[in-house]
Amino acid sequence: MQNPAEIIQALETKCAIQEQQIAELKAKLAWFEEQFRLSQQRRFGSSREQVDEHQLTIFNEAEKEANLSAPEPAMEEITYRRRKRQGHREAQLKDLPVETIEYRLPPEERVCPCCGEELKEMSTEVRQELKIIPAQVSVVKHVRFIYACRRCEKENIQTPVVTAPMPAPALPKSIASASALAHIMTQKYVEGIPLYRQEQSFAREGLELSRQTMANWVVQVSERWLMPLFDRMHDHLLKQEILHADETELQVLHEPGRSATSKSYLWLYRTGRAGPAIVLYDYRTTRANKHPRQFLKGFKGYLHVDGYSGYNNLPDITLVGCWAHARRGFVNALKALPPGSETAEVAAKEGLEYCNRLFTLEREMKELPPEERYARRLEYSRPLLDDFYAWLNYQRARVLPKSTFGQAIAYCLNQWEKLQAFLLDGRLELDNNRSERSIKPFVIGRKNWLFSNTPRGARASATIYSIVETAKENGLNPFAYLMYLFERLPNIDIDDEAALDECLPWSDSLPPECRANR
């Protein structure tokens, strides 16, 4: 028979083990509930990272709303007159060509029904309509005349032959014109319409043009004419002092030695608020550190990135973290709260408020020159960062590491050196949203065409996306710019950097028709 003391000890040990197991199960259950609420929110809720400002009442309102640099407002009475604001419809139509159709009474009907006298024009009544002409397909026949001297034919042994000059085509021995190539590329890479749908659209217009033919055209002109322009843009990119980077998945079906389901990646590199707007995409088979190291070889400066470790240890580069990613962690933590706790004073709201105050300060400094923004950040943003860092360390020991809130805190602490790097230079930005906006057109287009067939096609797509997105960033019409390139580049020396620079999207030498209507 067991000793009662031993029985009690065994029961206490069993209870302790069960209590530990219960605590672990509760933690796991809470984590799964968080993940379920987050997945439901992502599926059915708004994707905007907005939180009701009335819920964020943790901080003192006076401290939150204060703007120490704002002068005391003076009161004055203002009376003025202004021109009536132009209507929305007139603003929509102001840059479009106008076709005017006039309706007049024939002379025999210009008779007064009362006295029989001739009717005179008194006023007009105008109705405006938007007229759309669908894409039209036609054939342009280039006829080059060849000349010879009749007298030399009769009197001399040799007869000189002179041929009229004719512009070189983008693709020799092909029916592809500059406008056709520009249209196909714009439809796919700007409007997100895959080639098989374009094939169907052309068929309805009576043109049998297969997607294979269009794909061949796209790859050939990309390699022949757009790649040299891409390389020149790359040279200019590396000369900048501040860049942004991001990456996203890309599926390529026929990569040597890899399965069709393997993940490849499209890397994005672009300039910041200073210098010419340059947006470049680089197709690679992996997400390894060697790819940005190779692409950015020769670049020395600041690189805005997210929290991905693949950008670490790049030579001569200072990484600048993204506060939008840091803020998103606290937004997700609030979204993962159980129903009914929206008004509770949870710590996640406090973390979100720190981030919001930082963004508020940045908005107030937006129009300042870099030198003054740098000084203001040291005066106002630095103390806020110090408080936030102390708060993060205090909270870290009091939350479950695998909870959504715990992950938000861990992200900030792990990325802290990068997150405070924006204090080093007034030209730097608080977030990496600039690169996220630039990679979004590719992500949206990918939903339509899903994958690339070959690595060669993936490289061509990366090159074309680089050209059209840089064109858009510089206020160009992508179709008009591509058509200009396919007419211009075959007729210049593309090995001449000066001649190539005149064709870059930010060049002052571009014709006015390349500009987008504003």
Side-chain angles (χ1 to χ4, degrees):
M1 184 175 178
Q2 283 186 318
N3 188 324
E6 293 178 352
I7 296 175
I8 294 174
Q9 180 65 35
L11 290 174
E12 289 178 347
T13 302
K14 184 177 180 180
C15 288
I17 294 174
Q18 288 178 341
E19 287 178 357
Q20 182 180 356
Q21 290 175 341
I22 291 172
E24 291 176 355
L25 290 174
K26 284 183 177 180
K28 288 182 179 180
L29 178 60
W31 184 84
F32 281 117
E33 287 177 340
E34 276 190 348
Q35 299 307 306
F36 174 74
R37 287 190 291 269
L38 276 177
S39 66
Q40 291 294 93
Q41 198 282 330
R42 292 191 186 104
R43 186 178 180 186
F44 302 110
S46 172
S47 61
R48 301 181 66 183
E49 296 176 1
Q50 286 188 338
V51 179
D52 188 353
E53 291 186 0
H54 297 292
Q55 297 178 8
L56 303 179
T57 57
I58 294 176
F59 283 81
N60 180 277
E61 184 179 8
E63 182 186 29
K64 174 184 173 183
E65 302 297 335
N67 182 358
L68 302 180
S69 61
E72 189 74 19
M75 303 299 295
E76 61 177 337
E77 182 178 350
I78 300 176
T79 304
Y80 64 94
R81 298 175 62 189
R82 69 180 182 186
R83 180 184 293 180
K84 185 178 179 181
R85 188 175 300 171
Q86 188 180 29
H88 176 66
R89 179 175 296 178
E90 286 71 17
Q92 279 185 311
L93 307 179
K94 66 182 181 68
D95 293 326
L96 298 177
V98 177
E99 174 187 349
T100 302
I101 303 176
E102 296 181 343
Y103 302 92
R104 287 185 167 90
L105 288 174
E108 61 273 13
E109 294 183 16
R110 299 180 194 172
V111 179
C112 177
C114 294
C115 65
E117 287 293 318
E118 181 183 2
L119 297 176
K120 303 296 184 181
E121 292 180 359
M122 179 183 69
S123 62
T124 59
E125 180 182 299
V126 179
R127 183 184 86 235
Q128 293 193 112
E129 296 177 339
L130 189 63
K131 180 179 179 180
I132 297 178
I133 304 174
Q136 298 178 348
V137 180
S138 61
V139 177
V140 178
K141 187 177 293 186
H142 295 267
V143 180
R144 178 160 62 168
F145 287 86
I146 301 173
Y147 299 86
C149 176
R150 299 303 183 192
R151 179 177 178 181
C152 290
E153 284 182 354
K154 297 178 180 179
E155 299 179 359
N156 296 339
I157 298 176
Q158 294 182 342
T159 302
V161 177
V162 180
T163 304
M166 182 174 65
L171 290 178
K173 300 180 181 179
S174 169
I175 62 172
S177 67
S179 62
L181 294 169
H183 175 77
I184 292 169
M185 289 184 175
T186 304
Q187 289 294 100
K188 178 173 181 179
Y189 296 100
V190 179
E191 308 300 339
I193 302 177
L195 295 181
Y196 80 89
R197 287 196 216 158
Q198 295 191 52
E199 179 184 30
Q200 296 169 352
S201 178
F202 283 128
R204 288 190 289 270
E205 299 296 326
L207 175 64
E208 297 297 329
L209 189 60
S210 71
R211 71 193 77 172
Q212 289 80 12
T213 298
M214 289 187 282
N216 290 337
W217 289 353
V218 167
V219 172
Q220 290 179 39
V221 296
S222 170
E223 293 175 343
R224 183 178 297 205
W225 305 120
L226 300 186
M227 197 63 202
L229 202 66
F230 176 96
D231 292 338
R232 190 63 186 141
M233 290 162 59
H234 187 197
D235 293 339
H236 285 279
L237 182 89
L238 298 179
K239 296 177 182 178
Q240 304 302 311
E241 297 180 355
I242 300 173
L243 298 180
H244 295 248
D246 201 359
E247 74 289 331
T248 189
E249 295 177 1
L250 168 66
Q251 185 180 1
V252 182
L253 297 184
H254 298 99
E255 289 178 319
R258 308 183 79 204
S259 66
T261 58
S262 298
K263 290 182 181 179
S264 297
Y265 288 87
L266 196 74
W267 296 73
L268 164 76
Y269 307 91
R270 64 154 300 151
T271 54
R273 69 177 88 193
I278 307 174
V279 183
L280 300 183
Y281 300 85
D282 184 38
Y283 154 70
R284 297 294 174 180
T285 55
T286 68
R287 206 183 179 197
N289 171 270
K290 63 182 180 181
H291 301 311
R293 183 182 294 267
Q294 177 183 352
F295 193 90
L296 296 175
K297 185 178 181 180
F299 169 69
K300 298 179 181 180
Y302 298 99
L303 181 65
H304 288 271
V305 295
D306 55 21
Y308 175 51
S309 60
Y311 298 103
N312 294 342
N313 303 318
L314 296 177
D316 302 316
I317 292 177
T318 301
L319 299 181
V320 183
C322 177
W323 276 95
H325 281 76
R327 181 185 183 277
R328 193 169 301 154
F330 297 105
V331 171
N332 289 337
L334 290 176
K335 290 178 179 178
L337 292 175
S341 60
E342 290 83 359
T343 58
E345 291 193 359
V346 294
K349 291 182 181 178
E350 195 171 353
L352 179 60
E353 182 62 21
Y354 272 114
C355 298
N356 287 344
R357 291 171 65 192
L358 201 59
F359 278 99
T360 299
L361 289 172
E362 283 300 305
R363 284 193 294 271
E364 294 172 356
M365 306 175 197
K366 184 178 179 181
E367 303 301 328
L368 298 179
E371 297 79 10
E372 189 172 350
R373 187 183 300 115
Y374 170 76
R376 290 285 187 93
R377 282 173 174 173
L378 294 181
E379 183 178 359
Y380 296 109
S381 301
R382 165 58 77 184
L384 182 60
L385 288 179
D386 293 340
D387 291 345
F388 188 35
Y389 186 68
W391 179 86
L392 289 170
N393 283 292
Y394 174 82
Q395 294 292 339
R396 177 168 57 177
R398 289 164 175 77
V399 298
L400 293 173
K402 291 187 178 180
S403 67
T404 309
F405 181 43
Q407 291 175 354
I409 291 176
Y411 178 90
C412 291
L413 291 174
N414 294 337
Q415 300 290 319
W416 190 252
E417 183 178 354
K418 301 175 188 175
L419 288 175
Q420 60 177 347
F422 77 97
L423 298 172
L424 299 174
D425 194 308
R427 298 170 298 171
L428 299 176
E429 300 179 44
L430 197 60
D431 54 51
N432 196 29
N433 288 346
R434 192 179 293 270
S435 66
E436 291 193 1
R437 288 193 299 268
S438 293
I439 211 165
K440 190 175 182 179
F442 170 80
V443 174
I444 294 175
R446 183 180 57 194
K447 293 180 180 179
N448 289 291
W449 46 263
L450 300 180
F451 53 80
S452 290
N453 193 40
T454 64
R456 188 182 177 196
R459 282 190 290 271
S461 293
T463 301
I464 299 168
Y465 266 115
S466 301
I467 301 300
V468 298
E469 289 302 316
T470 302
K472 288 160 59 177
E473 286 283 325
N474 285 274
L476 303 183
N477 181 319
F479 169 79
Y481 179 59
L482 286 173
M483 187 169 71
Y484 167 77
L485 291 180
F486 298 141
E487 291 175 345
R488 174 74 173 165
L489 293 177
N491 296 283
I492 65 172
D493 181 9
I494 59 174
D495 294 326
D496 183 356
E497 292 184 350
L500 209 55
D501 283 349
E502 293 182 354
C503 299
L504 293 174
W506 58 89
S507 171
D508 295 332
S509 302
L510 296 179
E513 52 267 25
C514 289
R515 306 290 170 187
N517 291 328
R518 294 294 182 182

